[in-house]
């Protein structure tokens, strides 16, 4: 009897030892240490080509515009804005930030904000479509421009670029991808991850295009400020959530000195505070421009009074100067 108990104790000890070893092995596998691979650049050749192609086309278009002397309103600061946005794309998609985004939710959030709040508005300010067209051979320009002048393209484009439509699309994309089901799917599947980034960028480009190109700066400022409010709400929900929204980050945050909840809180703060500041600043600038335009419109015109009091020779000189 005593020998049976001894045998049972030895068996239990061996089982517990193997189980403990398995737990340690899984913990080591799920909590990787920080090494050089954590700071690698994205080597995807298709992504690199997709970023280099528009930059090259923009440079060619700028040179063709200068050679044609079309008196375009494309100033140097617009070209600088475009390439500033292009560099923000590199930082978000090619730099080590992309690798960090797979290990830290806060880094992933910073990546998204670079796409939507830095790259997108700067690219729009660079007037890329007009420059891209001039980067093509003349026969291609006419061939591409012809279908876009038809109602088949203009009608949906007009609807999409309305401020309200662009605002709704951007809000749906932003909130939808942060739903745990979709966000977790993007972390497990590279194709879904690429779709997520593409939809963030495209919806942001549409949003900034509609608001910065719109005729009414007051409505654009209101849409900008309401975007600041609803993104701030999402950031606050992430910051003050009592639990983890994205369990996929459980295994990777410990190596960086974060708990998963602290990482989520930091990501929520990034969306809430710095991103909110960018949107608030843009909204206030648009509101300031609208107020200055209103003050110019309401400014009394004194030129007719000068003409009535001026002598004949002075009035004639004034007419000749205006002509």
């Amino acid at each position: 009897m005593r020998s049976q108990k001894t045998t049972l104790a030895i068996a239990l000890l061996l089982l517990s030892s193997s189980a403990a070893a398995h737990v340690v092995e899984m913990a080591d596998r799920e909590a990787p240490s920080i090494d050089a691979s954590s700071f690698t650049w994205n080597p995807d050749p298709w992504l690199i080509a997709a970023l280099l192609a528009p930059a090259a086309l923009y440079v060619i278009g700028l040179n063709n515009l200068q050679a044609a002397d079309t008196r375009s309103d494309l100033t140097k600061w617009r070209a600088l804005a475009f390439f500033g946005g292009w560099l923000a794309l590199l930082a978000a998609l090619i730099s080590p930030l992309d690798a960090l985004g797979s290990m830290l939710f806060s880094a992933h959030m910073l990546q998204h904000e670079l796409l939507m709040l830095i790259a997108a508005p700067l690219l729009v300010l660079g007037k890329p479509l007009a420059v891209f067209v001039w980067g093509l051979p003349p026969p291609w320009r006419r061939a591409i421009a012809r279908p876009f002048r038809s109602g088949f393209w203009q009608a949906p484009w007009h609807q999409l670029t309305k401020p309200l439509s662009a605002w709704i699309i951007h809000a749906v994309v932003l909130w939808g991808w942060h739903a745990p089901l979709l966000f977790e799917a993007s972390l497990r599947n590279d194709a879904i991850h690429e779709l997520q980034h593409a939809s963030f960028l495209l919806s942001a480009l549409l949003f900034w295009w509609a608001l910065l190109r719109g005729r009414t700066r007051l409505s654009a400022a209101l849409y900008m400020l309401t975007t600041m409010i609803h993104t701030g709400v999402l950031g606050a929900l992430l910051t003050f959530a009592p639990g983890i929204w994205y369990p996929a980050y459980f295994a990777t945050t410990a190596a960086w000195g974060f708990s998963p909840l602290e990482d989520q809180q930091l990501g929520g703060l990034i969306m809430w505070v710095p991103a909110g500041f960018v949107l608030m600043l843009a909204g206030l600038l648009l509101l300031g421009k609208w107020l200055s335009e209103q003050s110019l419109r309401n400014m009394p015109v004194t030129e007719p009074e000068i003409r009535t009091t001026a002598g004949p020779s002075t009035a004639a000189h004034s007419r000749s100067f205006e002509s």
Side-chain angles (χ1 to χ4, degrees), residues 136-186:
L136 300 172
W140 291 19
R141 296 176 204 164
R142 292 188 289 270
I144 291 176
R146 193 176 299 114
F148 283 100
R149 291 172 182 167
S150 65
F152 179 79
W153 290 103
Q154 286 186 351
W157 178 249
H158 178 69
Q159 293 298 324
L160 280 175
T161 54
K162 285 183 176 180
L164 179 59
S165 301
W167 185 90
I168 292 173
I169 292 171
H170 184 54
V172 169
V173 168
L174 184 68
W175 280 81
W177 276 113
H178 283 89
L181 181 64
L182 288 179
F183 201 97
E184 288 271 302
S186 73

Short mmCIF file of all heavy atoms in Angstrom, two decimals, residues 136-186:
data_model
loop_
_atom_site.label_atom_id
_atom_site.label_comp_id
_atom_site.label_asym_id
_atom_site.label_seq_id
_atom_site.Cartn_x
_atom_site.Cartn_y
_atom_site.Cartn_z
N LEU A 136 0.99 62.78 -66.65
CA LEU A 136 0.73 61.77 -67.68
C LEU A 136 1.01 62.34 -69.07
O LEU A 136 0.97 63.56 -69.28
CB LEU A 136 -0.73 61.32 -67.60
CG LEU A 136 -1.16 60.67 -66.28
CD1 LEU A 136 -2.67 60.46 -66.28
CD2 LEU A 136 -0.43 59.36 -66.05
N PRO A 137 1.26 61.49 -70.07
CA PRO A 137 1.40 61.97 -71.46
C PRO A 137 0.10 62.62 -71.92
O PRO A 137 -0.99 62.22 -71.48
CB PRO A 137 1.70 60.68 -72.25
CG PRO A 137 2.23 59.72 -71.23
CD PRO A 137 1.54 60.06 -69.94
N PRO A 138 0.17 63.63 -72.80
CA PRO A 138 -1.05 64.34 -73.24
C PRO A 138 -2.18 63.44 -73.72
O PRO A 138 -3.34 63.68 -73.36
CB PRO A 138 -0.52 65.27 -74.35
CG PRO A 138 0.90 65.50 -73.97
CD PRO A 138 1.39 64.24 -73.35
N PRO A 139 -1.93 62.41 -74.54
CA PRO A 139 -3.07 61.56 -74.95
C PRO A 139 -3.75 60.88 -73.77
O PRO A 139 -4.97 60.70 -73.77
CB PRO A 139 -2.41 60.54 -75.89
CG PRO A 139 -1.15 61.18 -76.35
CD PRO A 139 -0.68 62.00 -75.21
N TRP A 140 -2.97 60.50 -72.78
CA TRP A 140 -3.55 59.86 -71.60
C TRP A 140 -4.40 60.85 -70.80
O TRP A 140 -5.42 60.47 -70.24
CB TRP A 140 -2.45 59.29 -70.71
CG TRP A 140 -1.72 58.12 -71.29
CD1 TRP A 140 -1.68 57.75 -72.61
CD2 TRP A 140 -0.94 57.17 -70.57
NE1 TRP A 140 -0.91 56.63 -72.76
CE2 TRP A 140 -0.44 56.24 -71.52
CE3 TRP A 140 -0.61 57.00 -69.24
CZ2 TRP A 140 0.38 55.18 -71.17
CZ3 TRP A 140 0.20 55.94 -68.87
CH2 TRP A 140 0.68 55.03 -69.83
N ARG A 141 -3.95 62.10 -70.75
CA ARG A 141 -4.72 63.10 -70.00
C ARG A 141 -6.12 63.23 -70.57
O ARG A 141 -7.11 63.23 -69.84
CB ARG A 141 -4.03 64.46 -70.07
CG ARG A 141 -2.67 64.53 -69.43
CD ARG A 141 -2.07 65.91 -69.65
NE ARG A 141 -0.62 65.88 -69.57
CZ ARG A 141 0.18 66.84 -70.01
NH1 ARG A 141 -0.35 67.93 -70.56
NH2 ARG A 141 1.49 66.73 -69.92
N ARG A 142 -6.21 63.35 -71.89
CA ARG A 142 -7.52 63.51 -72.54
C ARG A 142 -8.36 62.25 -72.36
O ARG A 142 -9.57 62.33 -72.12
CB ARG A 142 -7.33 63.84 -74.02
CG ARG A 142 -6.73 65.23 -74.26
CD ARG A 142 -6.75 65.57 -75.73
NE ARG A 142 -5.78 64.76 -76.49
CZ ARG A 142 -4.52 65.13 -76.70
NH1 ARG A 142 -4.08 66.28 -76.22
NH2 ARG A 142 -3.70 64.36 -77.39
N ALA A 143 -7.72 61.09 -72.47
CA ALA A 143 -8.47 59.83 -72.34
C ALA A 143 -9.02 59.65 -70.94
O ALA A 143 -10.14 59.14 -70.75
CB ALA A 143 -7.57 58.66 -72.71
N ILE A 144 -8.27 60.08 -69.94
CA ILE A 144 -8.72 59.94 -68.55
C ILE A 144 -9.75 61.01 -68.21
O ILE A 144 -10.73 60.74 -67.49
CB ILE A 144 -7.51 60.02 -67.59
CG1 ILE A 144 -6.64 58.77 -67.75
CG2 ILE A 144 -7.97 60.16 -66.15
CD1 ILE A 144 -5.37 58.79 -66.93
N ALA A 145 -9.55 62.22 -68.72
CA ALA A 145 -10.46 63.32 -68.37
C ALA A 145 -11.84 63.15 -69.00
O ALA A 145 -12.85 63.57 -68.42
CB ALA A 145 -9.86 64.65 -68.81
N ARG A 146 -11.92 62.51 -70.18
CA ARG A 146 -13.18 62.40 -70.89
C ARG A 146 -14.27 61.70 -70.09
O ARG A 146 -15.37 62.24 -69.93
CB ARG A 146 -12.96 61.71 -72.24
CG ARG A 146 -14.15 61.83 -73.19
CD ARG A 146 -13.81 61.20 -74.53
NE ARG A 146 -12.69 61.87 -75.18
CZ ARG A 146 -11.51 61.30 -75.40
NH1 ARG A 146 -11.29 60.06 -75.03
NH2 ARG A 146 -10.54 61.98 -75.99
N PRO A 147 -14.03 60.50 -69.55
CA PRO A 147 -15.12 59.85 -68.80
C PRO A 147 -15.48 60.57 -67.51
O PRO A 147 -16.64 60.52 -67.07
CB PRO A 147 -14.56 58.45 -68.50
CG PRO A 147 -13.09 58.57 -68.62
CD PRO A 147 -12.85 59.61 -69.66
N PHE A 148 -14.51 61.26 -66.89
CA PHE A 148 -14.80 61.94 -65.63
C PHE A 148 -15.65 63.19 -65.83
O PHE A 148 -16.18 63.74 -64.86
CB PHE A 148 -13.51 62.30 -64.91
CG PHE A 148 -12.86 61.13 -64.22
CD1 PHE A 148 -11.79 60.47 -64.80
CD2 PHE A 148 -13.35 60.67 -63.02
CE1 PHE A 148 -11.20 59.39 -64.18
CE2 PHE A 148 -12.76 59.59 -62.38
CZ PHE A 148 -11.69 58.94 -62.96
N ARG A 149 -15.77 63.66 -67.06
CA ARG A 149 -16.64 64.80 -67.34
C ARG A 149 -18.09 64.38 -67.55
O ARG A 149 -18.97 65.25 -67.64
CB ARG A 149 -16.14 65.53 -68.60
CG ARG A 149 -14.81 66.24 -68.39
CD ARG A 149 -14.27 66.78 -69.70
NE ARG A 149 -12.97 67.42 -69.52
CZ ARG A 149 -12.17 67.76 -70.52
NH1 ARG A 149 -12.53 67.52 -71.78
NH2 ARG A 149 -11.01 68.34 -70.27
N SER A 150 -18.34 63.09 -67.65
CA SER A 150 -19.70 62.61 -67.88
C SER A 150 -20.48 62.59 -66.57
O SER A 150 -19.91 62.54 -65.48
CB SER A 150 -19.68 61.21 -68.50
OG SER A 150 -19.12 60.28 -67.57
N GLY A 151 -21.81 62.60 -66.69
CA GLY A 151 -22.66 62.55 -65.51
C GLY A 151 -22.56 61.24 -64.77
O GLY A 151 -22.87 61.18 -63.57
N PHE A 152 -22.11 60.18 -65.46
CA PHE A 152 -21.97 58.87 -64.82
C PHE A 152 -21.00 58.94 -63.64
O PHE A 152 -21.21 58.29 -62.62
CB PHE A 152 -21.50 57.85 -65.85
CG PHE A 152 -21.30 56.47 -65.28
CD1 PHE A 152 -22.38 55.64 -65.06
CD2 PHE A 152 -20.03 56.02 -64.96
CE1 PHE A 152 -22.21 54.37 -64.52
CE2 PHE A 152 -19.83 54.75 -64.42
CZ PHE A 152 -20.93 53.92 -64.20
N TRP A 153 -19.94 59.74 -63.77
CA TRP A 153 -18.96 59.88 -62.69
C TRP A 153 -19.23 61.10 -61.83
O TRP A 153 -19.02 61.07 -60.62
CB TRP A 153 -17.54 59.98 -63.27
CG TRP A 153 -17.04 58.71 -63.86
CD1 TRP A 153 -16.95 58.39 -65.18
CD2 TRP A 153 -16.59 57.56 -63.14
NE1 TRP A 153 -16.46 57.12 -65.34
CE2 TRP A 153 -16.22 56.59 -64.10
CE3 TRP A 153 -16.44 57.26 -61.79
CZ2 TRP A 153 -15.73 55.34 -63.74
CZ3 TRP A 153 -15.95 56.02 -61.44
CH2 TRP A 153 -15.59 55.07 -62.41
N GLN A 154 -19.68 62.18 -62.44
CA GLN A 154 -19.82 63.43 -61.69
C GLN A 154 -20.91 63.36 -60.63
O GLN A 154 -20.76 63.91 -59.54
CB GLN A 154 -20.10 64.58 -62.65
CG GLN A 154 -18.88 65.01 -63.45
CD GLN A 154 -19.14 66.25 -64.28
OE1 GLN A 154 -20.27 66.70 -64.39
NE2 GLN A 154 -18.08 66.80 -64.86
N ALA A 155 -22.01 62.69 -60.94
CA ALA A 155 -23.13 62.63 -59.98
C ALA A 155 -22.73 61.91 -58.69
O ALA A 155 -22.90 62.46 -57.59
CB ALA A 155 -24.34 61.96 -60.62
N PRO A 156 -22.17 60.67 -58.75
CA PRO A 156 -21.76 60.04 -57.47
C PRO A 156 -20.63 60.78 -56.78
O PRO A 156 -20.58 60.84 -55.55
CB PRO A 156 -21.34 58.63 -57.90
CG PRO A 156 -21.07 58.70 -59.35
CD PRO A 156 -21.98 59.75 -59.88
N TRP A 157 -19.69 61.35 -57.56
CA TRP A 157 -18.60 62.10 -56.94
C TRP A 157 -19.12 63.33 -56.21
O TRP A 157 -18.66 63.66 -55.11
CB TRP A 157 -17.58 62.50 -58.00
CG TRP A 157 -16.44 63.32 -57.47
CD1 TRP A 157 -16.18 64.62 -57.72
CD2 TRP A 157 -15.39 62.87 -56.59
NE1 TRP A 157 -15.05 65.04 -57.06
CE2 TRP A 157 -14.54 63.98 -56.37
CE3 TRP A 157 -15.10 61.65 -56.00
CZ2 TRP A 157 -13.42 63.89 -55.55
CZ3 TRP A 157 -13.97 61.57 -55.18
CH2 TRP A 157 -13.15 62.68 -54.96
N HIS A 158 -20.11 63.98 -56.80
CA HIS A 158 -20.71 65.15 -56.16
C HIS A 158 -21.37 64.75 -54.84
O HIS A 158 -21.28 65.48 -53.84
CB HIS A 158 -21.73 65.79 -57.09
CG HIS A 158 -22.43 66.97 -56.50
ND1 HIS A 158 -21.80 68.17 -56.23
CD2 HIS A 158 -23.73 67.13 -56.09
CE1 HIS A 158 -22.67 69.02 -55.69
NE2 HIS A 158 -23.83 68.41 -55.60
N GLN A 159 -22.02 63.58 -54.82
CA GLN A 159 -22.66 63.12 -53.59
C GLN A 159 -21.64 62.73 -52.53
O GLN A 159 -21.80 63.03 -51.35
CB GLN A 159 -23.58 61.93 -53.90
CG GLN A 159 -24.80 62.28 -54.74
CD GLN A 159 -25.73 63.27 -54.07
OE1 GLN A 159 -25.91 63.23 -52.85
NE2 GLN A 159 -26.31 64.16 -54.85
N LEU A 160 -20.58 62.04 -52.96
CA LEU A 160 -19.57 61.58 -52.01
C LEU A 160 -18.82 62.74 -51.36
O LEU A 160 -18.43 62.66 -50.20
CB LEU A 160 -18.57 60.65 -52.70
CG LEU A 160 -19.00 59.21 -52.93
CD1 LEU A 160 -17.94 58.48 -53.73
CD2 LEU A 160 -19.24 58.50 -51.60
N THR A 161 -18.59 63.79 -52.12
CA THR A 161 -17.78 64.90 -51.62
C THR A 161 -18.60 65.97 -50.92
O THR A 161 -18.06 67.02 -50.56
CB THR A 161 -16.98 65.54 -52.77
OG1 THR A 161 -17.87 65.91 -53.83
CG2 THR A 161 -15.94 64.57 -53.30
N LYS A 162 -19.88 65.73 -50.73
CA LYS A 162 -20.64 66.64 -49.88
C LYS A 162 -20.12 66.50 -48.43
O LYS A 162 -19.83 65.40 -47.99
CB LYS A 162 -22.13 66.30 -49.92
CG LYS A 162 -22.83 66.74 -51.20
CD LYS A 162 -24.31 66.44 -51.13
CE LYS A 162 -25.03 66.97 -52.36
NZ LYS A 162 -26.48 66.68 -52.32
N PRO A 163 -20.01 67.60 -47.71
CA PRO A 163 -19.46 67.51 -46.35
C PRO A 163 -20.18 66.51 -45.45
O PRO A 163 -19.53 65.76 -44.72
CB PRO A 163 -19.61 68.95 -45.83
CG PRO A 163 -19.54 69.79 -47.05
CD PRO A 163 -20.23 69.00 -48.12
N LEU A 164 -21.51 66.47 -45.52
CA LEU A 164 -22.25 65.54 -44.66
C LEU A 164 -21.94 64.09 -45.03
O LEU A 164 -21.73 63.25 -44.15
CB LEU A 164 -23.75 65.81 -44.76
CG LEU A 164 -24.63 64.89 -43.90
CD1 LEU A 164 -24.25 65.00 -42.43
CD2 LEU A 164 -26.11 65.22 -44.12
N SER A 165 -21.91 63.79 -46.34
CA SER A 165 -21.61 62.43 -46.77
C SER A 165 -20.22 62.00 -46.33
O SER A 165 -20.03 60.89 -45.80
CB SER A 165 -21.73 62.32 -48.29
OG SER A 165 -23.03 62.67 -48.74
N ALA A 166 -19.23 62.87 -46.55
CA ALA A 166 -17.86 62.55 -46.17
C ALA A 166 -17.74 62.40 -44.66
O ALA A 166 -17.01 61.52 -44.16
CB ALA A 166 -16.90 63.63 -46.67
N TRP A 167 -18.45 63.23 -43.92
CA TRP A 167 -18.43 63.14 -42.45
C TRP A 167 -18.98 61.81 -41.97
O TRP A 167 -18.41 61.15 -41.09
CB TRP A 167 -19.25 64.29 -41.87
CG TRP A 167 -19.23 64.42 -40.38
CD1 TRP A 167 -18.35 65.14 -39.63
CD2 TRP A 167 -20.13 63.80 -39.45
NE1 TRP A 167 -18.65 65.02 -38.29
CE2 TRP A 167 -19.73 64.20 -38.15
CE3 TRP A 167 -21.22 62.95 -39.59
CZ2 TRP A 167 -20.41 63.78 -37.00
CZ3 TRP A 167 -21.89 62.52 -38.44
CH2 TRP A 167 -21.48 62.94 -37.18
N ILE A 168 -20.10 61.37 -42.56
CA ILE A 168 -20.73 60.10 -42.15
C ILE A 168 -19.82 58.92 -42.50
O ILE A 168 -19.61 58.01 -41.68
CB ILE A 168 -22.10 59.95 -42.83
CG1 ILE A 168 -23.09 60.98 -42.27
CG2 ILE A 168 -22.64 58.53 -42.63
CD1 ILE A 168 -24.41 61.01 -42.98
N ILE A 169 -19.28 58.91 -43.72
CA ILE A 169 -18.41 57.81 -44.15
C ILE A 169 -17.20 57.69 -43.23
O ILE A 169 -16.84 56.59 -42.78
CB ILE A 169 -17.98 58.00 -45.61
CG1 ILE A 169 -19.18 57.85 -46.55
CG2 ILE A 169 -16.87 57.01 -46.00
CD1 ILE A 169 -18.90 58.23 -47.98
N HIS A 170 -16.57 58.82 -42.94
CA HIS A 170 -15.39 58.79 -42.08
C HIS A 170 -15.73 58.30 -40.67
O HIS A 170 -14.98 57.51 -40.07
CB HIS A 170 -14.79 60.20 -42.02
CG HIS A 170 -13.51 60.28 -41.25
ND1 HIS A 170 -12.42 59.49 -41.51
CD2 HIS A 170 -13.15 61.07 -40.20
CE1 HIS A 170 -11.44 59.79 -40.69
NE2 HIS A 170 -11.86 60.74 -39.87
N ALA A 171 -16.86 58.74 -40.14
CA ALA A 171 -17.26 58.33 -38.79
C ALA A 171 -17.58 56.83 -38.75
O ALA A 171 -17.18 56.13 -37.80
CB ALA A 171 -18.48 59.13 -38.34
N VAL A 172 -18.28 56.32 -39.76
CA VAL A 172 -18.63 54.90 -39.79
C VAL A 172 -17.37 54.04 -39.89
O VAL A 172 -17.23 53.02 -39.20
CB VAL A 172 -19.59 54.61 -40.95
CG1 VAL A 172 -19.75 53.11 -41.16
CG2 VAL A 172 -20.95 55.25 -40.69
N VAL A 173 -16.43 54.45 -40.74
CA VAL A 173 -15.18 53.70 -40.89
C VAL A 173 -14.40 53.69 -39.58
O VAL A 173 -13.90 52.65 -39.13
CB VAL A 173 -14.34 54.29 -42.03
CG1 VAL A 173 -12.92 53.73 -42.02
CG2 VAL A 173 -14.98 54.00 -43.38
N LEU A 174 -14.32 54.84 -38.94
CA LEU A 174 -13.54 54.95 -37.70
C LEU A 174 -14.13 54.10 -36.58
O LEU A 174 -13.43 53.30 -35.94
CB LEU A 174 -13.48 56.42 -37.28
CG LEU A 174 -12.63 56.73 -36.05
CD1 LEU A 174 -11.16 56.50 -36.34
CD2 LEU A 174 -12.85 58.16 -35.59
N TRP A 175 -15.43 54.23 -36.34
CA TRP A 175 -16.06 53.48 -35.25
C TRP A 175 -16.15 52.00 -35.60
O TRP A 175 -15.98 51.15 -34.73
CB TRP A 175 -17.45 54.06 -34.97
CG TRP A 175 -17.41 55.29 -34.13
CD1 TRP A 175 -17.15 56.57 -34.55
CD2 TRP A 175 -17.61 55.38 -32.72
NE1 TRP A 175 -17.19 57.45 -33.50
CE2 TRP A 175 -17.48 56.75 -32.36
CE3 TRP A 175 -17.91 54.46 -31.73
CZ2 TRP A 175 -17.63 57.20 -31.04
CZ3 TRP A 175 -18.06 54.90 -30.41
CH2 TRP A 175 -17.92 56.25 -30.08
N GLY A 176 -16.43 51.69 -36.87
CA GLY A 176 -16.59 50.29 -37.25
C GLY A 176 -15.32 49.48 -37.07
O GLY A 176 -15.35 48.37 -36.51
N TRP A 177 -14.18 50.03 -37.50
CA TRP A 177 -12.93 49.27 -37.38
C TRP A 177 -12.45 49.15 -35.94
O TRP A 177 -11.62 48.29 -35.64
CB TRP A 177 -11.84 49.92 -38.22
CG TRP A 177 -11.87 49.50 -39.66
CD1 TRP A 177 -12.17 50.28 -40.74
CD2 TRP A 177 -11.60 48.20 -40.18
NE1 TRP A 177 -12.10 49.54 -41.89
CE2 TRP A 177 -11.75 48.26 -41.58
CE3 TRP A 177 -11.24 46.98 -39.60
CZ2 TRP A 177 -11.54 47.16 -42.40
CZ3 TRP A 177 -11.04 45.88 -40.41
CH2 TRP A 177 -11.19 45.97 -41.80
N HIS A 178 -12.93 50.00 -35.03
CA HIS A 178 -12.53 49.87 -33.63
C HIS A 178 -13.45 48.94 -32.85
O HIS A 178 -13.23 48.74 -31.64
CB HIS A 178 -12.46 51.25 -32.97
CG HIS A 178 -11.22 52.01 -33.33
ND1 HIS A 178 -11.17 52.84 -34.43
CD2 HIS A 178 -9.98 52.04 -32.79
CE1 HIS A 178 -9.96 53.37 -34.53
NE2 HIS A 178 -9.22 52.91 -33.54
N ALA A 179 -14.47 48.39 -33.50
CA ALA A 179 -15.25 47.33 -32.87
C ALA A 179 -14.32 46.14 -32.64
O ALA A 179 -13.54 45.78 -33.54
CB ALA A 179 -16.42 46.94 -33.75
N PRO A 180 -14.35 45.53 -31.47
CA PRO A 180 -13.39 44.45 -31.16
C PRO A 180 -13.33 43.34 -32.20
O PRO A 180 -12.25 42.84 -32.52
CB PRO A 180 -13.87 43.94 -29.80
CG PRO A 180 -14.51 45.12 -29.17
CD PRO A 180 -15.18 45.87 -30.29
N LEU A 181 -14.49 42.95 -32.76
CA LEU A 181 -14.50 41.85 -33.73
C LEU A 181 -13.67 42.19 -34.96
O LEU A 181 -12.83 41.39 -35.40
CB LEU A 181 -15.95 41.54 -34.14
CG LEU A 181 -16.12 40.39 -35.14
CD1 LEU A 181 -15.66 39.08 -34.53
CD2 LEU A 181 -17.58 40.30 -35.59
N LEU A 182 -13.86 43.38 -35.54
CA LEU A 182 -13.13 43.76 -36.74
C LEU A 182 -11.67 44.08 -36.43
O LEU A 182 -10.77 43.73 -37.21
CB LEU A 182 -13.80 44.97 -37.40
CG LEU A 182 -15.14 44.70 -38.09
CD1 LEU A 182 -15.70 46.00 -38.67
CD2 LEU A 182 -14.99 43.66 -39.18
N PHE A 183 -11.43 44.74 -35.31
CA PHE A 183 -10.04 45.10 -34.98
C PHE A 183 -9.20 43.85 -34.73
O PHE A 183 -8.06 43.74 -35.20
CB PHE A 183 -10.01 46.01 -33.75
CG PHE A 183 -8.75 46.81 -33.61
CD1 PHE A 183 -8.70 48.12 -34.05
CD2 PHE A 183 -7.60 46.26 -33.05
CE1 PHE A 183 -7.53 48.87 -33.93
CE2 PHE A 183 -6.43 46.99 -32.93
CZ PHE A 183 -6.40 48.30 -33.38
N GLU A 184 -9.76 42.89 -34.01
CA GLU A 184 -9.04 41.64 -33.76
C GLU A 184 -8.79 40.88 -35.06
O GLU A 184 -7.73 40.27 -35.24
CB GLU A 184 -9.85 40.78 -32.79
CG GLU A 184 -9.86 41.29 -31.37
CD GLU A 184 -8.69 40.75 -30.56
OE1 GLU A 184 -8.56 39.53 -30.44
OE2 GLU A 184 -7.91 41.57 -30.07
N ALA A 185 -9.77 40.93 -35.97
CA ALA A 185 -9.58 40.25 -37.26
C ALA A 185 -8.44 40.87 -38.05
O ALA A 185 -7.68 40.16 -38.72
CB ALA A 185 -10.88 40.32 -38.07
N SER A 186 -8.28 42.19 -37.95
CA SER A 186 -7.19 42.86 -38.66
C SER A 186 -5.83 42.47 -38.10
O SER A 186 -4.82 42.49 -38.81
CB SER A 186 -7.37 44.38 -38.60
OG SER A 186 -7.09 44.88 -37.31
#
